[in-house]
Amino acid sequence: QVQLVESGGGLVQAGGSLRLSCAASGRTFSRNTMGWFRQAPGKEREFVARISWSGDNTVYADSVKGRFTISRDNTKNTVYLQMNSLKPEDTAVYYCAARSILSGKFDSWGQGSQVTVSS
């Protein structure tokens, strides 16, 4: 498994920006597809974005497309989520996750980072 630690969350006004970082440890990081998910109060965890091991392929949820950008630096074992034009509905705990090479499922999770967007 991959160990993950998120950072960079906080409080921001609507229209503002934040960048989340996820530092990973584990020998297979550079081979893992990485993803970001979020969970708002009273709601289920939802997919936000994912990036292939090479960084060449990215996928976004419709709700964040054009506003969020996922990227990775395999030399630093870190994946990022740049969030622009934030909206109050983006308020949630954001989780970094690694997809297992064997199962194809996201099975390694960080502890989460709170993002709060005020109106």
Side-chain angles (χ1 to χ4, degrees):
Q1 281 194 331
V2 179
Q3 290 73 48
L4 305 169
V5 178
E6 300 100 335
S7 61
L11 173 65
V12 65
Q13 289 188 333
S17 298
L18 281 174
R19 188 176 81 156
L20 301 179
S21 299
C22 174
S25 59
R27 292 180 297 173
T28 63
F29 171 79
S30 61
R31 296 169 55 196
N32 291 99
T33 289
M34 299 296 296
W36 286 96
F37 294 75
R38 67 186 182 186
Q39 187 167 19
K43 295 187 177 181
E44 293 188 353
R45 187 175 299 185
E46 65 176 1
F47 167 78
V48 174
R50 69 172 185 262
I51 185 167
S52 63
W53 68 271
S54 66
D56 289 343
N57 183 265
T58 56
V59 178
Y60 296 92
D62 288 343
S63 59
V64 306
K65 201 171 294 184
R67 300 187 298 122
F68 290 11
T69 302
I70 188 171
S71 62
R72 67 189 296 162
D73 185 341
N74 288 341
T75 65
K76 296 181 179 180
N77 281 7
T78 302
V79 62
Y80 304 97
L81 185 68
Q82 177 67 43
M83 304 183 291
N84 298 329
S85 302
L86 282 161
K87 305 175 181 179
E89 51 264 44
D90 293 319
T91 295
V93 177
Y94 283 70
Y95 297 91
C96 174
R99 191 161 75 182
S100 168
I101 297 169
L102 295 178
S103 69
K105 298 180 180 180
F106 286 95
D107 64 354
S108 296
W109 297 85
Q111 83 287 355
S113 183
Q114 177 70 47
V115 172
T116 303
V117 184
S118 63
S119 57

